[in-house]
Amino acid sequence: MSKALELPFDPIDRAAQIWSSRFGPSLSMAAVTSIMRAQQILQGELDSLLRPYHLTFARYEALVLLTFSRRGALPLRVIGERLMVHPTSVTNIIDRLERQQMVIRRPNPSDGRGRLAEITQAGRDVVARATVDLMAAEFGLGGFEDGQLKEVFDLFRELRLTAGDFIPRSPKSPEPQEPPESQGPQEPQEPQEPPEPQKLPSSPGPLEPCSPGARAARSR
């Protein structure tokens, strides 16, 4: 948890007043500066809660994502997409978790050059314990009511939508299917019985006309 500054004035509000007198409307500047400061505060508090588990919030998020997956393993590319971070950051996160024996890397069966990150039992145990602490602290937002939290989510959802984080779904459109997480070896299929051989029609009698199709059927 970051040390309280305890300034005798609100520095962002003061900056907004000066901005307004020098440059013009300051609401956008004050809002974005408040967001950036809130991010610093929350990051510090979350990292403080996770420090006993030797985790940062970024590494905690990666572990949680792996626990959400069906097999406990995901390609690094997918981890980067879901966490919305650069591939280099994903590599650094998985490197640290691997050194901590919370994940292992293994070959991706569906991609000869790709690698999967798979959570270990130690990683699952740490996630379970850390999540209890984060939930108890309400992720640093314990001073807000449910309605306020929903309002915050909705406001920033619009920002993320504008940035292209995701494609909005029409109310009538079907629920999108999740892409496969990792293509493991396919289960062998049971061999199917060969179809029964079809009986050819009996040869026509001596008085029956024999069509070209019937002659061809008899010759097979």
Side-chain angles (χ1 to χ4, degrees):
M1 188 177 300
S2 59
K3 182 180 178 181
L5 298 177
E6 297 182 344
L7 297 175
F9 60 92
D10 181 349
I12 296 178
D13 183 50
R14 176 71 60 84
Q17 295 173 22
I18 299 172
W19 182 283
S20 180
S21 64
R22 293 191 180 183
F23 303 117
S26 61
L27 288 177
S28 296
M29 184 280 295
V32 75
T33 307
S34 296
I35 293 169
M36 300 300 287
R37 176 55 183 157
Q39 192 270 344
Q40 292 175 343
I41 293 170
L42 291 173
Q43 189 77 56
E45 183 162 355
L46 294 173
D47 284 346
S48 176
L49 288 167
L50 291 169
R51 193 168 295 120
Y53 305 101
H54 307 287
L55 290 176
T56 61
F57 192 67
R59 276 180 268 154
Y60 170 79
E61 284 185 299
L63 289 175
V64 169
L65 180 61
L66 291 173
T67 66
F68 286 171
S69 66
R70 289 189 294 272
R71 299 179 180 88
L74 288 171
L76 269 62
R77 172 187 57 80
V78 174
I79 294 174
E81 290 175 354
R82 303 290 175 84
L83 296 182
M84 296 172 286
V85 297
H86 192 273
T88 302
S89 298
V90 175
T91 301
N92 292 336
I93 289 169
I94 298 304
D95 283 347
R96 291 293 299 273
L97 291 172
E98 190 173 32
R99 288 197 293 269
Q100 293 174 281
Q101 300 182 339
M102 295 183 191
V103 302
I104 58 172
R105 278 186 174 92
R106 60 180 178 83
N108 186 345
S110 66
D111 181 359
R113 296 173 300 176
R115 306 283 286 176
L116 297 175
E118 181 176 353
I119 190 168
T120 64
Q121 187 58 51
R124 291 184 185 276
D125 293 343
V126 166
V127 165
R129 298 198 308 271
T131 299
V132 172
D133 288 350
L134 291 172
M135 292 286 286
E138 298 188 47
F139 287 83
L141 295 174
F144 294 85
E145 297 178 356
D146 289 351
Q148 293 174 310
L149 295 173
K150 179 65 166 59
E151 185 178 358
V152 169
F153 173 80
D154 289 342
L155 283 171
F156 291 109
R157 187 177 191 275
E158 290 301 315
L159 179 66
R160 295 186 295 111
L161 177 60
T162 302
D165 272 4
F166 59 95
I167 300 173
R169 187 170 61 90
S170 162
K172 295 184 179 180
S173 63
E175 189 71 24
Q177 296 296 317
E178 285 285 329
E181 297 159 353
S182 60
Q183 296 293 336
Q186 297 297 317
E187 293 291 332
Q189 296 183 355
E190 292 292 331
Q192 296 182 352
E193 293 292 331
E196 290 289 333
Q198 295 183 354
K199 294 183 179 180
L200 298 176
S202 58
S203 302
L207 299 179
E208 287 185 71
C210 186
S211 68
R215 287 197 299 273
R218 283 205 307 275
S219 65
R220 290 199 292 269

